[in-house]
Structure formats: structure tokens, C-alpha cells
Amino acid sequence: MSSGTSSRARVGRLFAALREGGAREALRFAGRSFSYEDLDASSRRYAAALARIGIRRGDRVAVFAESCTEVLVSLLGHYRSGVIHVPINTRYRGEEARHILVDSGARAVLFEPGSEQASVLDGIGPLPGLERRIAFGAAPAPDGVIPWDAMTGGDFDSAAFSSPVPEDGDTAVLVYTSGTTGKSKGAALSFRALVDNTSALTQGWEFAREDRLALALPLFHVHGLAIGVHGALLHGMTILLSSRFDAAEIAREFAEDGATVFMGVPTMYVRLLEHLAAQPGAAKALARARLFTSGSAPLPAADFVRFEQATGHRILERYGMTETLFTLTNPYAGERRPGTVGFPVEGCSVRIVDEAGRDVPVGEPGEILVQSNGQMTEYWGREADTGVASRDGWFVTGDVGQSDKDGYVRILGRQSVDVIKSGGFKISAREIEDVLAALPRIREVAVVGLPDPVWGERVAAAVVLRDPLESGALEAEVEAEVEAICARALADYKRPREIRIVAELPRNALGKVQKHRIVGEVFGR
Ligand code: MLC
Ligand code: AMP
């Protein structure tokens, strides 16, 4: 469970603000404000309640809920007790969520009755090992489910969990991420990785106690979770939390709640720009901000320029990955160069190599390898996959990049056409292909990402039918079937937005499907 020395220095740093923050505002959510003292006390009660129900250090507890106070309190409670926090993407449907619950061996799951996630859990039904369900929110907890009050209310031993239990090498979270293969894998991130990497990154960005972070990124991925929550805790900042992103609400937080920092995926900046076009008055409040950052997908240089014209801010773009956390960033003080992700974060090294693994000259494209102080410990329970991801001590990102003469790195794309990034979510083309291939009418299917100005990429599918196409009506039927099976089996953002029926898929001489040709020849992009 723990690796190396038994230091607790990083865990201690993560909890310093809770220990010492007192009455300062730690969190604002849905119009309510919580001090550091409040978060300290409620997360201690929650940790004590976990112990009472027999959940211990090293056990996994899944959280399947939109961002809210309870999600944050449970995260802190898990950290205190050394229980591994397993967030699940709230857009996931039955099979996707079931896979994470089973793969992580979760002993408990936290959710909100009446929510979409509650119906998904109902559909999944009982699972061996998943002994407890914990509910929060206004709706009453169903029979057999532990209500939130029982986890955080009432008396508790005030000394319990005042010192967090885990060591720095312990796994803090399992963040599930897709790869080129179908099923998602859990990246095990230790306290050491989270604290070392996040503090290096955010010190560079001059995060400070006075900052108020407008946080609308989901807390089930590392962008919102690692930089957002850990960054804010390490600097004792205030989090202005939204359950989901809404451009008008972000603008309001800058105008009325004193927000100073915003982090987003590029799609959120497109939405903010649309909002500013409709409400030009909002730009004034954004102009007063201290910092805007972008990551998780390429920020088009044109959006960088439009945002600067509207607000005077040059968005600071950085690059990262669930498995390695954040490895490249533009400088805070120096030139933030559009279309680039800057330089290695302190504690990280980056190489750009050719197919033989040799460093390429400046300006030449190559695959990006990284060594990171935020490197995951393993893919949970998947030793072979963990091994394959590393080459001579370097993590193989699968991304292609080049550096310029000043050392700024530019991300050019990915090695694999089977990985799609849409709105900042990573999507496995294979997973969608497997779902569509189950339709009796479909003989073959290839899923690709099409370039898109709002989403970065949009999911599209080229389909070969078992019977030759008879009429246009059939095309509509196929679309309806695809839509229906996706609605049952896949998160909404994975549904193909364009479907084309083709006589055959383009292949090379060896019979391998050529996806780049599908993008051009079938979809005309
Ligand atoms: C929503 N939709 C998407 C989508 N999100 N379509 C494609 N890609 C997406 N990412 C679709 C829905 O299916 C729906 O379609 C329609 O958009 C409206 O849904 P919504 O729920 O109202 O969308 P919205 O809330 O506006 O969501 C957009 C978004 C969201 C950008 C806020 O996608 C998001 O939170 N993305 C952030 C992902 C993230 O945090 N990534 C970090 C990974 S970590 P329809 O047809 O049903 O109407 C990482 C490492 C690193 O990458 O370096 O950071
Ligand atoms: P994830 O697996 O969801 O953590 O996504 C990581 C991937 O997101 C990386 O491997 C990149 O492909 C992509 N990514 C992250 N940040 C950037 C960026 N600034 N520019 C381009 N791609 C990015």
C-alpha cells in the first residue's frame, strides 16, 4: 500500500489549511459558505463514521455524484482515513460505472438519491464487495442506504483523525481514464505525486491565499480534482464550486463573488467567448481577474487571441495527463505563447523522440516522453499495462509534439487515431465500436474524431451494414438504433454525432482499416 519511506510531510501539507485556516472561507457552493474549520470538522466526522462502519485505510470508496460540498467533504474524509477515493464520471451509464466499481473493488459508493447516477446504480443492482451505499441530498435515503447525517452529524470523538492516517506513498485516488483499448483503467495517484506536482505547478502560477478559484471543472478528472482542489488546499485559497460549468455563472462569480482565477478546457473558453459576445458588459469583471489557464486539449490560437481582445488576458496553456499529472506549462511571468504548452514543470523532464527513441532536433516532430513528479504508481491491478506505459524509466504519452528554438513545446496530435478528445474528455474509439458492433444490422464500424471548433473533436462513425443499403429510410433507422444503444450503454458525449453508411471501410494492403482516410474520404474533413 505504501511505497518507500514512511514520511507524512505531503499529507501534512495538504491538511495544513484545514488545521490552521480557522474561520476563513474555504468553499462557497450553491449560495452557502463553509470555513476551513467547517470542512475540518465535517471531514473528521465523516472519517470517524467510515471507521465505525468498518471501512479502513487502503479500502476503496467510490463517489458517483456531481460536484458539491458532500463530494469535497467525502474526499477529505477519505484522505484522512487513508481510504482510496474513486471518483466516477457522472455522465457514465450502467456498464461504464459498473466496470469502475468492480475493477476498483469499491466497498462503498456515495451518491445522491433522485439523481441520474442513482438510477444508474439502481440499474446495476447489488455487486459483490460493494457493501455500503451512502446518500446525501434533500431526498430521503432509500432503505438500506446510510444517510449523510449519520456520516457527518452527531457526536464524534474530537481527537479522532486529527492527524491524518496515510503516508505520502499511499494511493490517494484512483482516476479512471480511457486508452486505446476499450475499458478504462484506474491510474493510482499517491499523496506524494499529487502534492509534489500540484504544488510545483501552482507555485509557478503564483496561487496565493487571497485567490478565489472559480471551479466548474468536474472533480472526477485530474484537471479539476488535482489542480483545482489540491492547488486550492495547498495555498489555503477559497473555492467557488459549481456542480457543472455555466458561462454566465462563471462571469457572475467574477463580477460578484470576487473570483480571481479560472481554469478551463478549451470548450469552456469557447462558451465564455459566446457569453461575452452576448453580454459585452461581463468582460469588465473578467478583465479584473488574476489568471486564466487552459488544458486537457489544444486551445486554438484564434480563441487565445479572441479572449485577449475581449478581456486583456493571455490564457496560460499547460499540458498534462491523468497518469503523469501536469508536465508542461507556459510561464506565469514570461511570454505565454499561443498554440504552445511551454516548458517542463519543476520536477518534470520531457523528451521528444523519433521511432528509434532518439531525441529529435529542435523543430522536428516526435513522440513525447515524460518523467514526472506526478507520475502514477500503477494502473490499478494491471501490472502488464503499467509496464507497457514506460520505456527506460520514461512514461510514453502517445502524444506527438515539437519544441521551438526557445524551448516552447507545441502539441501536434496523438500517435493513435483510436483516442479521441472531445470537450476535454478522453474517449476510446474502440469502446464505441464494440457497442455499435452489437447491433445486428451492423457488419463493421469505425469510429473517428472529426475536427470541431467548439469541442476540439466530435465523435463520428462509419458503418458497413450486413445487407446493402436499400433506401434513405434505412439510414434513419440505423441512426435511431445507434442512438438507442448509445443512450443505454455510453456516456452522452461518446454518442456519434455523425453517422455515414458506407459500402466498405478503406483498408491498406494488409487489410488494416485506415482511419485517417475515413475522416477525409467519408466525412470530407
Ligand atoms: C457535453 N456534451 C459533449 C461533451 N460534454 N459532447 C462532446 N464532448 C463533450 N465533452 C454534449 C452532451 O452530450 C449534450 O449533447 C450537450 O453537449 C449538452 O450537454 P451539457 O451537459 O449541457 O454540456 P455542458 O455541461 O456544456 O458540457 C460541456 C463541458 C463538459 C465542456 C462543460 O464537457 C466538461 O465539463 N468537460 C471537461 C472535461 C474535463 O474536465 N477534462 C479533464 C480531463 S483531465 P446532446 O446532443 O445530448 O444535447 C486531462 C489531463 C489534463 O485531460 O491535462 O488536464
Ligand atoms: P487524459 O487521459 O484525459 O488525462 O488526457 C490526457 C491527454 O489530453 C494528453 O495525453 C493529451 O493528448 C491531451 N492534452 C492535455 N493537455 C493538452 C494541451 N494543452 N494541448 C493538447 N493536448 C492536451
Side-chain angles (χ1 to χ4, degrees):
M1 185 192 345
S2 74
S3 69
T5 61
S6 62
S7 161
R8 290 200 164 93
R10 276 79 166 194
V11 174
R13 281 184 63 197
L14 207 48
F15 277 90
L18 277 102
R19 242 181 3 251
E20 296 153 14
R24 268 184 330 105
E25 190 175 35
L27 171 70
R28 197 175 281 198
F29 176 73
R32 288 190 62 196
S33 177
F34 302 84
S35 66
Y36 270 103
E37 241 157 31
D38 293 335
L39 287 190
D40 188 52
S42 44
S43 63
R44 273 160 65 174
R45 287 200 193 92
Y46 178 88
L50 281 180
R52 274 203 304 275
I53 60 174
I55 292 179
R56 294 175 298 268
R57 180 177 177 190
D59 287 343
R60 276 80 60 206
V61 173
V63 173
F64 193 24
E66 301 291 359
S67 302
C68 63
T69 306
E70 289 84 351
V71 166
L72 217 54
V73 168
S74 70
L75 172 84
L76 295 168
H78 296 154
Y79 279 9
R80 277 187 189 287
S81 359
V83 164
I84 301 176
H85 183 81
V86 186
I88 302 179
N89 187 325
T90 51
R91 293 172 192 263
Y92 276 8
R93 307 262 204 257
E95 185 47 37
E96 297 161 313
R98 199 188 74 87
H99 165 69
I100 295 181
L101 292 167
V102 171
D103 188 77
S104 66
R107 289 193 60 199
V109 61
L110 188 87
F111 70 101
E112 181 171 8
S115 65
E116 272 176 40
Q117 296 80 39
S119 351
V120 170
L121 287 172
D122 278 348
I124 294 172
L127 288 174
L130 186 66
E131 298 152 20
R132 308 278 188 174
R133 288 167 195 249
I134 303 167
F136 65 87
D143 278 353
V145 173
I146 305 173
W148 185 249
D149 281 355
M151 297 299 292
T152 54
D155 289 338
F156 74 108
D157 174 2
S158 61
F161 297 97
S162 53
S163 312
V165 168
E167 294 173 4
D168 293 347
D170 284 5
T171 297
V173 288
L174 293 184
V175 183
Y176 276 77
T177 180
S178 312
T180 43
T181 53
K183 295 265 190 234
S184 61
K185 300 192 277 276
L189 294 163
S190 67
F191 289 97
R192 177 179 290 119
L194 285 160
V195 170
D196 287 356
N197 183 265
T198 308
S199 65
L201 181 78
T202 56
Q203 270 166 27
W205 293 356
E206 299 190 9
F207 270 25
R209 197 185 239 239
E210 299 69 39
D211 273 322
R212 294 166 74 78
L213 174 68
L215 183 56
L217 285 156
L219 300 185
F220 45 77
H221 280 312
V222 294
H223 194 167
L225 182 69
I227 319 182
V229 175
H230 298 74
L233 281 177
L234 286 167
H235 298 273
M237 294 159 45
T238 304
I239 296 177
L240 309 172
L241 187 69
S242 302
S243 53
R244 282 214 178 173
F245 173 79
D246 174 57
E249 172 60 9
I250 296 300
R252 193 201 60 74
E253 287 175 347
F254 279 93
E256 296 172 17
D257 290 348
T260 62
V261 179
F262 174 78
M263 304 186 314
V265 298
T267 305
M268 293 178 175
Y269 283 100
V270 174
R271 292 275 170 79
L272 276 173
L273 283 163
E274 283 164 3
H275 178 74
L276 293 180
Q279 307 276 333
K284 237 164 90 185
L286 294 192
R288 287 197 300 271
R290 185 177 73 74
L291 178 64
F292 290 91
T293 73
S294 177
S296 308
L299 177 72
D303 293 334
F304 177 104
V305 171
R306 285 164 62 210
F307 197 78
E308 185 178 16
Q309 282 163 352
T311 66
H313 282 281
R314 291 171 75 81
I315 300 169
L316 189 161
E317 186 172 2
R318 56 92 199 144
Y319 160 89
M321 204 173 176
T322 304
E323 291 90 333
T324 62
L325 297 178
F326 312 102
T327 46
L328 287 156
T329 181
N330 267 280
Y332 178 73
E335 186 198 352
R336 301 174 196 168
R337 208 170 270 188
T340 81
V341 291
F343 309 99
V345 170
E346 203 185 308
C348 302
S349 310
V350 173
R351 288 176 62 200
I352 302 180
V353 299
D354 64 16
E355 276 167 12
R358 289 178 304 239
D359 294 282
V360 296
V362 167
E364 290 291 317
E367 187 169 19
I368 301 178
L369 309 184
V370 303
Q371 280 179 342
S372 172
N373 54 2
Q375 170 91 29
M376 68 171 182
T377 321
E378 59 171 343
Y379 285 121
W380 185 251
R382 292 170 199 270
E383 211 177 307
D385 289 323
T386 307
V388 168
S390 278
R391 205 183 291 154
D392 302 328
W394 291 81
F395 187 86
V396 182
T397 64
D399 290 310
V400 178
Q402 74 189 150
S403 67
D404 69 17
K405 62 176 177 18
D406 301 322
Y408 284 85
V409 175
R410 192 177 288 275
I411 310 295
L412 301 171
R414 280 178 306 273
Q415 296 277 35
S416 172
V417 283
D418 287 326
V419 176
I420 299 168
K421 257 278 157 130
S422 180
F425 285 128
K426 197 181 218 183
I427 300 171
S428 155
R430 286 271 299 282
E431 182 186 17
I432 304 170
E433 286 162 1
D434 288 347
V435 167
L436 300 194
L439 288 172
R441 244 192 244 275
I442 290 183
R443 178 153 67 86
E444 264 192 312
V445 52
V447 167
V448 294
L450 304 180
D452 184 87
V454 175
W455 299 103
E457 286 181 297
R458 278 162 69 85
V459 176
V463 165
V464 181
L465 299 181
R466 288 193 193 282
D467 293 324
L469 183 58
E470 288 158 13
S471 69
L474 185 57
E475 198 150 321
E477 273 176 41
V478 171
E479 274 178 23
E481 286 175 10
V482 167
E483 209 148 292
I485 199 166
C486 288
R488 276 201 306 279
L490 295 173
D492 56 8
Y493 62 88
K494 297 180 187 172
R495 176 168 55 80
R497 306 291 152 149
E498 283 187 49
I499 299 167
R500 292 271 195 285
I501 297 176
V502 293
E504 56 188 45
L505 299 174
R507 294 178 187 277
N508 66 13
L510 300 171
K512 190 173 172 338
V513 174
Q514 293 180 298
K515 287 202 170 175
H516 61 278
R517 282 181 57 199
I518 296 178
V519 173
E521 291 169 22
V522 178
F523 293 98
R525 310 290 157 81

